[in-house]
Amino acid sequence: MNYFDCLARLSQAPGPSGFEERAVDAACELLSPLTDGVRRDRLGSVIGLRRCGKENAPKVLLDAHLDEVGLIVTGIEEGFLRFSSLGGIDPRILPDREITVLTDPPILGVVAVKPPHVMAAGEEDSVVPLKDLYLDIGMSQAQAEQTVPLGTPMVYREDILRLAGDRIAGKSLDDRACFAILLRTLELLEGETLNVDVAVLGSCFEETSGDGALVATFAERPDCAIAVDVTFGVSHDGPEETGFALGKGPAVGIGPNCARWMVDGLRKACAARKINWNPEVMAGNTGTNGWEMQVAREGVPVALVSLPLNYMHTPLEVISEGDAEQTARLLADFLLGLREEDGVLCWKN
């Protein structure tokens, strides 16, 4: 897989939480050649199934969410758009930011910002609350009312780009980078013999509720599931103890949201493949789809595998391509080691 080309296709498809249709379209096209069938559920998530060929085989569900953080139009004043957030948006980064308004066809806007020359003393150090920001789309009140219905979603306008080394930057890498990892996992499994069917889920609504993964897990009835999401990377402005350095491999969640036998299998798969990995201790809610997936139906054993990412929920998030490849290889090896013994799913070399 060419991660850059794949991420360019996924990242540039707009899909704020609750409005994921175009991102799901792109995911379906990429997923279809790697599975035995693809469908969309009632909430809009995409699910592809790769059958192992064995009758009544156990099923493993791999999830990466397709929605991104975004904005939604709540009002129009003198031609300027007022808006609220869809997911966790940091208002510090919005002034003078380019925004794509998802009308048909889309239009562009710039978040209004006061020039420093006319700021009052100390104003340059303050953060303008989201409710006090305006989007300039260059229209009069009448034009804006005719062009932009209330409730129109909006996303950051950024291109994907390569940085030095193996770094890739772009919008919505949370969590499109992990969906690309799931595609790569399926590539690595081509021609391999598995003991389990593998369902790959590109879920909706993670940034706002987690309902997409919950509904899909309920419908798919997996014997176990892995939530694949991003985790906090470490950059110059963040302490190492709160994140994971890019280029050092994936993180594996450890805590009450993570089935112990799955964590143990992931550790052994890392050791067998000589994959660098990081333990991510999570004492409660992981803040990922894994939390919702765990309680679908009578309960589902869940593991969490995470890709370190810098500048989460900003217009230009950054990942390591090497970390993505190591994560895909870990998932493939884990799936290859799954087998059923005495009616119980387990992992063995």
Side-chain angles (χ1 to χ4, degrees):
M1 169 186 287
N2 184 314
Y3 279 105
F4 185 84
D5 290 347
C6 180
L7 285 175
R9 193 166 172 187
L10 289 168
S11 173
Q12 295 309 300
S17 195
F19 301 88
E20 298 94 344
E21 294 86 354
R22 280 176 259 191
V24 171
D25 287 343
C28 283
E29 291 177 8
L30 292 165
L31 185 58
S32 293
L34 299 169
T35 58
D36 298 308
V38 169
R39 70 175 182 87
R40 302 189 197 209
D41 70 12
R42 292 178 181 176
L43 290 189
S45 300
V46 57
I47 304 159
L49 183 62
R50 194 268 203 194
R51 298 186 185 277
C52 69
K54 298 178 181 179
E55 189 175 355
N56 299 319
K59 182 190 291 184
V60 180
L61 179 64
L62 307 179
D63 166 72
H65 68 87
L66 291 172
D67 61 318
E68 61 187 298
V69 295
L71 304 165
I72 188 167
V73 177
T74 58
I76 304 173
E77 296 182 14
E78 299 181 11
F80 291 79
L81 305 184
R82 307 301 302 274
F83 49 85
S84 293
S85 63
L86 293 170
I89 295 283
D90 185 348
R92 296 175 304 166
I93 64 172
L94 285 176
D96 203 38
R97 180 65 58 189
E98 294 176 87
I99 300 293
T100 300
V101 185
L102 298 177
T103 48
D104 187 15
I107 60 175
L108 302 178
V110 178
V111 180
V113 61
K114 185 186 292 188
H117 315 72
V118 296
M119 287 183 177
E123 194 175 359
E124 68 275 9
D125 296 325
S126 63
V127 177
V128 181
L130 200 81
K131 64 182 180 60
D132 294 334
L133 292 172
Y134 295 80
L135 186 72
D136 185 352
I137 56 173
M139 294 184 182
S140 67
Q141 180 73 11
Q143 289 173 318
E145 288 177 351
Q146 187 174 9
T147 305
V148 186
L150 298 185
T152 298
M154 307 187 291
V155 293
Y156 300 130
R157 179 183 180 267
E158 293 292 349
D159 293 325
I160 193 165
L161 61 148
R162 282 196 179 277
L163 306 183
D166 73 343
R167 303 297 194 262
I168 297 175
K171 79 168 186 68
S172 66
L173 299 189
D174 172 11
D175 193 32
R176 311 278 172 83
C178 291
F179 190 79
I181 287 169
L182 299 190
L183 297 174
R184 175 58 175 156
T185 301
L186 292 175
E187 283 187 353
L188 292 169
L189 292 172
E190 288 183 340
E192 298 283 359
T193 300
L194 292 174
N195 299 304
V196 295
D197 293 337
V198 178
V200 169
L201 169 64
S203 56
C204 299
F205 300 113
E206 192 274 347
E207 298 292 358
T208 51
S209 68
D211 289 346
L214 175 60
V215 167
T217 305
F218 187 96
E220 286 298 305
R221 297 173 176 265
D223 294 272
C224 68
I226 303 178
V228 187
D229 208 333
V230 297
T231 189
F232 298 107
V234 173
S235 60
H236 74 283
D237 57 349
E240 290 188 10
E241 60 270 19
T242 62
F244 304 91
L246 270 61
K248 302 294 186 181
V252 175
I254 301 171
N257 193 192
C258 307
R260 289 189 293 277
W261 72 266
M262 296 182 72
V263 173
D264 187 52
L266 288 164
R267 286 171 161 172
K268 290 176 180 177
C270 285
R273 172 69 75 166
K274 294 184 168 55
I275 292 173
N276 292 326
W277 69 284
N278 305 279
E280 184 171 14
V281 179
M282 311 174 93
N285 191 333
T286 58
T288 71
N289 278 337
W291 193 249
E292 283 73 27
M293 296 164 75
Q294 183 175 249
V295 295
R297 289 194 180 272
E298 297 88 355
V300 177
V302 166
L304 177 62
V305 176
S306 301
L307 176 72
L309 172 142
N310 283 349
Y311 323 126
M312 193 180 295
H313 286 195
T314 70
L316 285 169
E317 300 167 324
V318 177
I319 64 162
S320 157
E321 189 172 355
D323 287 343
E325 179 67 10
Q326 291 295 293
T327 306
R329 292 189 177 277
L330 169 58
L331 293 172
D333 282 1
F334 180 78
L335 292 170
L336 285 166
L338 286 174
R339 62 200 72 245
E340 199 170 31
E341 293 188 355
D342 299 322
V344 177
L345 195 58
C346 60
W347 193 92
K348 291 195 173 181
N349 286 324

